[in-house]
Amino acid sequence: MKKIVSVVAFIAVHAAVLAQSADKASIERGKTVYESTCLACHQADGSGVPNLNPPLIKTKWTLGDKNQLINVVLKGLDEEIEVDGETYHNVMPPLNYLSDQEIADVLTYVRNNFGNKASAIKEADVKALREK
Amino acid sequence: MQNKILCWAVLAVFVLASFAPVSDPIVAQEDVSLQLPQGFQATTIIPELGRNRHLVVQSNGDIYVKLDKLKDGAKGIVILRDANKDGQYEIASSFGDYAGTGIAIKNGYLYASSDDQVFRYKLNKKGEVENTDKPEIIVTGLVKGRQHQTKSIALDNAGNIYVNIGAPSNACQEQDRSKGSPGQDPCPILETAGGIWQFRADKLNQSYAEGTRYATGIRNVVGLDWNAQANELYAMQHGRDQFFQLYPEMYTEQQSAELPAEELFMVKKGSNFGWPYCYYDQYQKKKILAPEYGGDSKKQGRCEGVDQPVMAFPGHWAPNGLLFYTGKMFPSKYKNGAFIAFHGSWNRAPLEQQGYKVVFVPFGKDGKPSGDYEVFANGFAGAGVVQSPRDAKFRPCGLAQGPDGALYISDSVKGRIWKIVYKK
């Protein structure tokens, strides 16, 4: 019995660690996408630009519903939204020229940087939404 | 077995730890001391007011400040008064249910703008607004996009008011700010925005049909003023963004941070400054064809005949205030010259941000700058490097001249206002 428990525990931890290292690779690739695509507007520290571009620090978009977040990148955003009680005047262009993998990577990076901690976004999650 | 699990667990902790949150980038606000030329002194007359935009000083010394982003029922125009003359101003009253940017006083009226209208209020013999609830609507129904939505105003001495109508776009691409999206040609935005419109200062309810498109090809303007000596209108354009992000094969990050110039225009009736087709390159000293319209960062093409700026400044500094100084307090070189308040950049990342200062440009009688610009007031952002605009402690926005010739500078971060005086 004890042995079975340890085996299960081993598999669980092993799987978790494998997933973690996959996420880590995704985060690393995501950093590159962030720097070339998002940084100009949302800034290196994710703090955005007052009045123009919102921060990506613990906002309900960055930490919240995955589909909503993926859609921000796929479809862009140009309507008045409130982020932490403030509104922003620039447009977020659709960035659908990025591949599913690049979008998954950059969002996983954003969700695990700037003080954020949230689950990874997978290529398949992006693919499913793009095809809708 | 146990050992192996332990190993994995240690590794797991290690991997998780490498995801630990970075420190909170929102820095604490603190005080700054401004650097000014010899003989000038700055005092804070009100430390924190609100989202300050432009301001104007009445002949009795009252200061009218236009605020943006009103919260919790706040009013859009605040009157500051120094009743006991101790140099500290208090809020005397506030009125106007609309946020906005523009504010001016002319011929016994206070003018103020929202993002789609211009209002005016009659001033009584004591120089006070009598009917704060019922302003007259001078201009209405102006285009108000989500970006470049603010309306600045300036009045001439012939009964006209000028209103900038910013283009709700970066470069008039079919899909704004999107890589690979072509520029629209002709750019339809120019019909109702991307220029400066002229209206009568005393006629009610004017809109596009009653006004004149005074000048076109101007992306967005916040600093706008009438130069009484030259008898001409002047405007500071906010140049376009994102050369590197949109055309990485044509511009380096460095070039994209420096280009295009922020331009000072002498605006004449019928002027065309070329946006979105053209931009000013301060190194090549000419208008260059924008990449959205077939440009390659060198070609001039259709931009050859386009009106030129009278002065060019580094890219993305965001000029938000323009004031021609007519006072007697400052040394004579300042007379009829221009002060420009730069709000500071955001579109220079990943390079460090710049701007966040007030500069002075000496002017000759011909209405052209008579020398290069010099930094007049600096230090608003605080001591360190501004990597992200949120690091800036204060950001200059509006400029005004007092009846005694003092200069007032408003800040948009905390809502501070400084008074600058000169003592021989």
Side-chain angles (χ1 to χ4, degrees):
Chain A
M1 186 61 197
K2 208 168 158 211
K3 212 159 188 180
I4 295 176
V5 172
S6 355
V7 169
V8 169
F10 169 75
I11 292 171
V13 172
H14 193 183
V17 168
L18 277 183
Q20 287 286 7
S21 59
D23 291 355
K24 194 167 182 212
S26 172
I27 288 170
E28 250 159 43
R29 291 192 305 270
K31 183 171 191 285
T32 313
V33 180
Y34 185 84
E35 285 169 356
S36 62
T37 318
C38 325
L39 184 147
C41 294
H42 292 288
Q43 303 293 306
D45 60 1
S47 70
V49 180
N51 211 27
L52 288 175
N53 307 317
L56 301 176
I57 302 169
K58 297 179 184 155
T59 69
K60 74 174 191 233
W61 279 264
T62 50
L63 297 180
D65 181 60
K66 287 184 183 182
N67 288 353
Q68 179 174 292
L69 179 60
I70 296 166
N71 270 331
V72 169
V73 177
L74 279 176
K75 299 187 176 155
L77 205 54
D78 190 10
E79 59 194 55
E80 187 158 306
I81 57 160
E82 245 186 47
V83 182
D84 301 335
E86 297 288 341
T87 56
Y88 292 86
H89 280 289
N90 205 350
V91 302
M92 160 102 186
L95 299 167
N96 50 16
Y97 66 87
L98 296 172
S99 70
D100 294 341
Q101 187 65 57
E102 286 170 322
I103 293 176
D105 290 343
V106 74
L107 291 177
T108 303
Y109 169 77
V110 165
R111 276 158 74 91
N112 291 284
N113 211 314
F114 316 133
N116 300 326
K117 188 86 202 78
S119 59
I121 305 263
K122 301 290 174 206
E123 186 184 6
D125 301 334
V126 182
K127 187 165 192 285
L129 270 189
R130 198 195 290 265
E131 282 166 0
K132 258 192 195 157
Chain B
M1 187 79 218
Q2 294 287 347
N3 266 348
K4 224 167 186 177
I5 291 178
L6 194 67
C7 258
W8 279 115
V10 167
L11 189 60
V13 168
F14 176 76
V15 170
L16 284 173
S18 63
F19 299 155
V22 295
S23 63
D24 193 342
I26 308 215
V27 290
Q29 299 285 354
E30 48 200 69
D31 220 336
V32 295
S33 72
L34 300 186
Q35 294 110 47
L36 296 161
Q38 190 74 35
F40 288 91
Q41 257 174 33
T43 41
T44 297
I45 60 162
I46 194 148
E48 289 182 34
L49 187 59
R51 292 294 193 102
N52 294 346
R53 297 290 291 176
H54 288 167
L55 72 174
V56 66
V57 190
Q58 169 65 310
S59 51
N60 63 10
D62 285 357
I63 304 173
Y64 291 74
V65 190
K66 191 78 197 77
L67 301 183
D68 205 7
K69 302 241 165 174
L70 307 180
K71 277 199 173 154
D72 310 320
K75 301 293 181 185
I77 300 171
V78 177
I79 304 177
L80 301 177
R81 189 170 295 154
D82 180 14
N84 60 2
K85 305 285 172 215
D86 67 348
Q88 287 297 304
Y89 283 64
E90 301 83 39
I91 296 178
S93 62
S94 60
F95 58 96
D97 287 323
Y98 53 95
T101 289
I103 193 148
I105 290 173
K106 191 83 188 177
N107 296 338
Y109 285 91
L110 174 76
Y111 292 80
S113 66
S114 68
D115 289 344
D116 55 358
Q117 291 184 304
V118 180
F119 304 91
R120 77 169 185 180
Y121 303 81
K122 189 153 182 53
L123 297 165
N124 67 18
K125 285 212 181 73
K126 282 160 66 192
E128 289 164 3
V129 172
E130 268 183 349
N131 211 337
T132 54
D133 295 338
K134 292 198 186 62
E136 292 176 311
I137 298 174
I138 299 299
V139 185
T140 188
L142 300 180
V143 163
K144 156 179 100 161
R146 284 199 357 97
Q147 52 182 316
H148 308 152
Q149 74 286 2
T150 64
K151 302 291 178 288
S152 299
I153 55 177
L155 291 106
D156 66 13
N157 293 318
N160 298 304
I161 184 166
Y162 302 84
V163 186
N164 90 282
I165 307 181
S169 171
N170 179 39
C172 208
Q173 288 171 283
E174 273 165 25
Q175 175 81 58
D176 191 21
R177 297 180 190 264
S178 283
K179 203 170 171 173
S181 174
Q184 301 177 72
D185 200 354
C187 172
I189 291 172
L190 293 171
E191 309 264 310
T192 52
I196 293 168
W197 266 252
Q198 183 194 51
F199 300 94
R200 292 300 298 170
D202 58 355
K203 253 178 75 183
L204 307 191
N205 295 311
Q206 303 165 87
S207 194
Y208 290 98
E210 293 78 20
T212 309
R213 190 177 73 175
Y214 191 73
T216 189
I218 307 174
R219 180 174 173 272
N220 187 35
V221 162
V222 189
L224 182 71
D225 197 18
W226 186 260
N227 176 341
Q229 191 196 40
N231 207 35
E232 297 283 1
L233 183 70
Y234 289 75
M236 283 293 319
Q237 173 175 256
H238 281 221
R240 54 157 304 154
D241 301 321
Q242 292 182 280
F243 276 137
F244 173 72
Q245 286 81 38
L246 300 172
Y247 296 93
E249 68 286 359
M250 238 178 261
Y251 300 88
T252 64
E253 279 182 334
Q254 177 83 38
Q255 287 172 318
S256 184
E258 305 291 351
L259 294 173
E262 304 286 47
E263 300 174 59
L264 172 56
F265 298 142
M266 181 205 270
V267 186
K268 296 192 179 234
K269 190 168 187 168
S271 294
N272 181 354
F273 295 102
W275 182 91
Y277 317 111
C278 315
Y279 68 89
Y280 192 76
D281 181 322
Q282 67 271 39
Y283 303 103
Q284 302 183 60
K285 295 195 171 30
K286 55 188 180 190
K287 292 271 185 179
I288 301 292
L289 188 62
E292 287 81 2
Y293 294 90
D296 62 359
S297 81
K298 294 183 189 71
K299 220 181 343 194
Q300 264 202 300
R302 70 208 273 184
C303 301
E304 242 167 281
V306 156
D307 286 327
Q308 302 288 309
V310 293
M311 187 168 272
F313 298 86
H316 312 297
W317 279 19
N320 273 10
L322 174 65
L323 176 92
F324 282 90
Y325 184 78
T326 56
K328 293 197 173 75
M329 181 192 279
F330 291 5
S332 59
K333 82 163 194 191
Y334 292 96
K335 190 93 187 223
N336 296 311
F339 286 99
I340 302 162
F342 288 99
H343 201 217
S345 69
W346 64 270
N347 199 233
R348 289 177 51 88
L351 279 69
E352 75 174 76
Q353 304 295 350
Q354 289 183 357
Y356 309 93
K357 60 182 88 167
V358 175
V359 310
F360 174 74
V361 182
F363 263 69
K365 287 210 168 68
D366 59 353
K368 301 240 170 77
S370 57
D372 207 355
Y373 74 87
E374 55 194 63
V375 176
F376 178 75
N378 207 351
F380 295 92
V385 164
V386 181
Q387 206 60 49
S388 158
R390 236 177 258 274
D391 301 340
K393 294 179 173 50
F394 300 95
R395 303 179 71 182
C397 185
L399 297 170
Q401 182 188 311
D404 59 353
L407 180 72
Y408 294 81
I409 304 172
S410 70
D411 143 69
S412 70
V413 179
K414 300 204 98 176
R416 183 155 298 186
I417 296 173
W418 293 269
K419 179 180 186 176
I420 315 282
V421 297
Y422 180 74
K423 293 209 175 96
K424 278 185 204 95

